[in-house]
Amino acid sequence: MNRRTVQYLGITSGAALVTAGTVLALSWSSRAVSTSPGGLPEPTGPGSARPSPGPGRGSVSDFRLAGFTFTSHRGEDAGPSLFDDEVTALVFFFTSCRGPCPRLMGTMAGIERRTAGEAPAGRLRFAAISVDGTRDTPEVLTSYAARLGLDTDRWSLLTGDPALVARLASESLDYDIRTQNDVTISGPAGDTMQNILHPTRIMLVGPDRRLIGIYAFTDADAIERLIADAARALDR
């Protein structure tokens, strides 16, 4: 079964992508289709296809975060209990990303600021898992959070073994994370590294670690649905 396709956002050809030296890529799951109000919009662009459910996984709620052990930006061990009894907006990112991450994380920061003090949406939490654990140390993540002005009382920025992060994305969410060996970018310390392709959707995780919805960060209507879905989940 062809489990995934890659959609390039705002790029008309692979050649243009490499020339620009940036990657705006999203790993799609052929099974990650939502029947919730916050589900995936109709995808467009080269190589895109409407996701369709696989055996036994007909909606977003069929996806649940499995166990993991990462390290938070505070230098503390973090596991799946981080999501228990919470409603959390989750993304994958890395601090050196020259593609969608700055806008993705900016959108997340905007949701945080917009919901601050609101009831019940002000209890929404945020998590961002780095796909570049080798370079994104807790110290790097702390500095990154400060640059974005994140309220770290509501945020958990996580880092860990890249192979374990990729396994979590694949086994729990059916998303690919992979290194793009033919595209080199600058790392956080001024070194060079290969770009990393990773999912760029915002995933809303419920208190039982099951997905409530998946949202396009570039779609204003989808962000409105995310906030509304989070408020409903928090009001239960």
Side-chain angles (χ1 to χ4, degrees):
M1 178 173 65
N2 182 13
R3 296 174 59 200
R4 304 173 179 91
T5 60
V6 174
Q7 180 186 20
Y8 292 94
L9 307 177
I11 299 294
T12 57
S13 71
L17 185 68
V18 174
T19 300
T22 61
V23 175
L24 305 179
L26 166 66
S27 294
W28 285 76
S29 162
S30 65
R31 296 199 306 234
V33 58
S34 172
T35 56
S36 76
L40 288 167
E42 188 74 33
T44 58
S48 62
R50 182 74 180 181
S52 58
R57 303 184 88 170
S59 72
V60 160
S61 63
D62 291 324
F63 292 83
R64 185 173 189 267
L65 290 180
F68 62 86
T69 301
F70 299 141
T71 303
S72 76
H73 64 278
R74 303 176 184 87
E76 301 168 345
D77 288 344
S81 62
L82 181 73
F83 296 89
D84 290 344
D85 302 319
E86 303 283 358
V87 176
T88 308
L90 168 67
V91 294
F92 292 86
F93 84 115
F94 63 111
T95 64
S96 302
C97 178
R98 300 295 183 265
C101 296
R103 188 176 173 192
L104 169 64
M105 292 298 287
T107 297
M108 289 278 281
I111 297 170
E112 176 221 302
R113 290 190 293 270
R114 176 175 167 182
T115 57
E118 290 188 6
R123 291 187 281 115
L124 175 65
R125 297 188 60 82
F126 300 86
I129 302 176
S130 172
V131 298
D132 185 25
T134 303
R135 298 172 182 82
D136 285 343
T137 63
E139 295 77 15
V140 169
L141 294 180
T142 296
S143 176
Y144 184 85
R147 290 201 306 274
L148 289 184
L150 303 182
D151 178 359
T152 51
D153 288 338
R154 297 178 69 186
W155 275 84
S156 294
L157 281 76
L158 306 178
T159 187
D161 183 337
L164 297 181
V165 173
R167 182 184 303 171
L168 175 69
S170 176
E171 295 182 357
S172 292
L173 304 169
D174 208 20
Y175 278 116
D176 270 335
I177 295 173
R178 58 186 173 85
T179 299
Q180 192 178 26
N181 292 319
D182 57 345
V183 176
T184 300
I185 61 174
S186 297
D191 55 342
T192 59
M193 60 177 285
Q194 272 61 57
N195 189 66
I196 303 170
L197 298 177
H198 60 88
T200 58
R201 297 282 167 169
I202 302 174
M203 289 158 271
L204 191 62
V205 183
D208 56 358
R209 287 187 271 136
R210 293 189 183 278
L211 292 192
I212 295 171
I214 303 174
Y215 311 81
F217 77 96
T218 55
D219 184 337
D221 289 339
I223 299 305
E224 294 297 325
R225 290 194 298 271
L226 184 157
I227 293 171
D229 289 349
R232 278 193 292 270
L234 287 161
D235 202 30
R236 292 173 183 167

